[in-house]
Every structure is written in C-alpha cells, then in structure tokens.
Amino acid sequence: MQSIDFYRSEFISYMESKFVLKKPVNLYEPINYILKLGGKRLRPVLALLSAEIFDGSYKNALDAALAIEVFHNFSLVHDDIMDAAPVRRGQATVHEKWDTNTGILSGDAMLICAYQLFENYAPDTFRDLAKLFSTTALQVCEGQQYDVDFESREDVRLPEYLRMIEYKTAVLVAAAMKMGGIVANTSLRNQEHIYNFGLNLGIAFQLQDDFLDVFGDPETFGKQVGGDIIENKKTILFIKALESGSGSIKKELLDLYSIQPGDPTDKIEAVKTIFRESGAAESTQNAIESFTQKAFLILNDLDITDSKKAILKRFGENLMRRTV
C-alpha cells in the first residue's frame, strides 16, 4: 500500500500524459484547462487505493480512475453553465473563459473520452466498469435535476435531500471504490461492500461540506463562507432549522431566504444564528457522524486483512477531519 499523496501524484502524472493538446484546439484546450485546475482528486485516488486494498495493482486502475475524474469534471463544466458560475477553483469557468457553446461541446467530448478509457480493459472488466459507470452517470444527472427542482420549493424534506446528495455526490465516490475492486477482480460481495462504504462516506462528506460552507474557517475553506446562504440553497441546515425551529424562527428563516441583499453579511450572520439556536447545526454534525460510522461498520464485512480495514478507516477519519 502507498500513501494518498503517492496515489495522487501518480494519477496526475498519468492524466497529464493522456491529455495532451491536440486539434481542434478549441475543443481540447478547454478540456485540458478544467482537468488541470486542481482539486482534491478524491475520486481517482479512491479508485487506486481500492484496487490495492483488494491485492490488485494501482497501475491497472489508472484508466478507471481517469474515467471517473474526467466524468466528474465534465459534470462541473455543465453545472457551471447551468448555475452561470463565473469561477471554479479560483479560476474562470470554461464557459466564461471561452463561451457557452464551447463549454457544452467540450463537456460532451469529455463524457465520450471517459467511456473510451474503459476500452483499455479486457471484455469482462470493460462490461462491468461500463455498466457501473452508466448507472452512476445517470444518477448524477438525476441528482442534479433534484437540486434544480429544490430551488423553487420550500417543502423539501430531509429524505429527499439525502437522496439528492446521494445521487449528485456520493454515488461517484462509491463507484470509484467499486471500480478499484472490479479491476482487482475481487469478489462481488467485496465490490458491494466497498461501494456501500464509499456511498456512506460520500454522504457524510457532502453533509460536512454543507456545514463547512456556513461554519468553516474563511482562512482555510477555500471559498466564500456562507455561499449556500447567499444562494438560498436548501441544505440540511435549512431543512433541520425548519423542522425543529419555532414558528417565529421558521418565518424569519423563510423571509431571509427570500431576499438577496447587495451586502449579504448581515443575512449570513442572521441565518447562522438561526442554525445554531434551532439545533440545526448540532443535528447536522450528528448526521455527519452517523453516516461516517455507518461507513466504518461496513468495513467489518469486507474480506480483507485488519490492517487494510484500518487503512480505510484512517482515510475516512482524515477525510472527515478536514477544515476545507
């Protein structure tokens, strides 16, 4: 087993060797641009780690890991167009740097490139990877649609929200880990358990992201704290506050989520106070811990050594200890 930094470094080197600028430049330059903007590379790292957890070689999982990363970035390009987002990872989004049509077409090409990477595997492995990838890709689209639908609703319930983040975020984490298992040719039982481990960890990761967006340290968070509040996003904090807050708190929260002041400072502070006083902040932290522990319990069912279970648990603990 190698370190996370090692897997990340090996993955980035491989990605840069596969995605070199070619013609037509206006199609491929935006692809290279978004892929090299940085990011945690969480999903491909998990694919490589998972392959070696099941006694395979991380090198055999590089194409699957790259497919996951290309798809993830494809979804970001199109999400940014839908959200009219000007910035991604501190740099101009693809549609801002070029134009919307370029973003759409380059994004489409990325999706095709992701599928092509599976062609480097033997037929049975190709079939299993492509089948999982197709299911996951469609779920991500469904999750994005749920997210869009929630923007115009005030009655979003927690089970609906959890389904949305499961599809939009967690399934890609789960698929990355299962792909590592597929490439390593581990048992179907192990594949399903590592998928469910990744799924629960992915949900906990997104819930923590919701929490940090409001209560994170501005110095380390990497983006504006309170962004979800500014955009009136109905995250778990909003839902929990409506569920547990008094009538006056609910009215105040809904009123605050109906405005978009030029200077959002007072709005952010007022909403943060509601999240604390209603118990929503504490409930969210409890939910993060609950899904993290669900993930760790699944490790008991994996047919791997205790030392490898410890590696996965340590990775999960470090991930959920993040401040960014």
Side-chain angles (χ1 to χ4, degrees):
M1 300 297 300
Q2 304 290 339
S3 69
I4 297 303
D5 286 341
F6 174 86
Y7 291 131
R8 185 180 292 114
S9 176
E10 288 291 290
F11 171 76
I12 291 172
S13 295
Y14 188 71
M15 179 182 70
E16 290 177 348
S17 73
K18 297 288 283 189
F19 281 89
V20 295
L21 190 58
K22 57 184 179 180
K23 295 181 180 179
V25 172
N26 285 337
L27 177 67
Y28 290 106
E29 189 175 20
I31 295 175
N32 286 12
Y33 172 79
I34 186 68
L35 287 176
K36 294 176 182 178
L37 273 189
K40 305 176 189 71
R41 313 295 186 187
L42 170 66
R43 296 154 194 85
V45 163
L46 284 174
L48 303 185
L49 172 65
S50 182
E52 298 219 315
I53 284 289
F54 295 118
D55 298 323
S57 167
Y58 78 88
K59 292 182 179 180
N60 293 337
L62 282 166
D63 283 313
L66 186 52
I68 285 284
E69 184 71 357
V70 172
F71 174 80
H72 172 59
N73 281 274
F74 144 76
S75 71
L76 297 182
V77 171
H78 281 194
D79 285 359
D80 286 340
I81 293 171
M82 294 176 69
D83 295 340
V87 176
R88 167 68 61 183
R89 297 169 183 155
Q91 301 293 325
T93 50
V94 168
H95 71 275
E96 281 286 320
K97 188 173 176 65
W98 284 272
D99 54 51
T100 299
N101 287 344
T102 298
I104 293 171
L105 188 59
S106 292
D108 291 345
M110 291 175 76
L111 180 58
I112 297 166
C113 288
Y115 270 104
Q116 280 186 321
L117 287 161
F118 297 132
E119 296 172 5
N120 296 323
Y121 292 99
D124 287 350
T125 304
F126 169 85
R127 179 200 62 212
D128 292 344
L129 290 172
K131 184 177 179 180
L132 173 60
F133 187 79
S134 296
T135 299
T136 304
L138 190 57
Q139 287 174 324
V140 171
C141 292
E142 291 171 359
Q144 174 69 2
Q145 186 60 57
Y146 284 131
D147 197 19
V148 171
D149 292 346
F150 292 170
E151 291 177 7
S152 59
R153 288 178 52 190
E154 293 180 355
D155 61 342
V156 179
R157 311 303 296 175
L158 186 58
E160 294 179 287
Y161 182 73
L162 291 174
R163 178 177 60 182
M164 184 273 286
I165 65 171
E166 176 183 334
Y167 284 9
K168 188 174 179 180
T169 301
V171 295
L172 207 54
V173 175
M177 301 204 78
K178 185 174 180 178
M179 283 185 181
I182 291 172
V183 171
N185 199 32
T186 192
S187 68
L188 293 177
R189 182 174 179 272
N190 271 344
Q191 289 177 29
E192 288 310 306
H193 286 320
I194 200 68
Y195 180 91
N196 288 324
F197 170 79
L199 192 71
N200 282 285
L201 200 62
I203 293 172
F205 180 87
Q206 182 57 52
L207 293 178
Q208 189 186 54
D209 207 57
D210 292 348
F211 184 85
L212 290 174
D213 187 272
V214 177
F215 296 107
D217 183 348
E219 295 297 318
T220 59
F221 188 49
K223 57 183 177 180
Q224 182 179 19
V225 171
D228 287 345
I229 295 173
I230 294 171
E231 296 175 21
N232 298 323
K233 286 201 170 185
K234 301 173 181 72
T235 66
I236 185 175
L237 289 157
F238 175 88
I239 295 168
K240 286 285 189 181
L242 286 187
E243 285 181 351
S244 58
S246 64
S248 59
I249 282 181
K250 291 178 184 178
K251 183 180 184 306
E252 183 182 0
L253 183 58
L254 289 172
D255 287 345
L256 286 164
Y257 266 61
S258 69
I259 61 173
Q260 288 186 314
D263 182 356
T265 303
D266 290 342
K267 173 182 174 178
I268 291 171
E269 289 306 313
V271 172
K272 286 173 72 171
T273 298
I274 289 174
F275 287 164
R276 288 194 193 96
E277 294 182 351
S278 66
E282 183 179 358
S283 294
T284 298
Q285 288 178 301
N286 290 339
I288 294 167
E289 178 65 16
S290 175
F291 280 102
T292 303
Q293 292 306 316
K294 283 182 183 178
F296 291 163
L297 282 174
I298 292 168
L299 295 178
N300 295 329
D301 298 321
L302 280 171
D303 185 20
I304 55 177
T305 64
D306 287 344
S307 63
K308 288 183 176 178
K309 291 177 184 179
I311 289 170
L312 289 172
K313 185 173 183 180
R314 187 161 59 249
F315 176 86
E317 288 172 341
N318 290 336
L319 185 66
M320 303 317 298
R321 203 179 290 127
R322 70 193 174 109
T323 57
V324 295

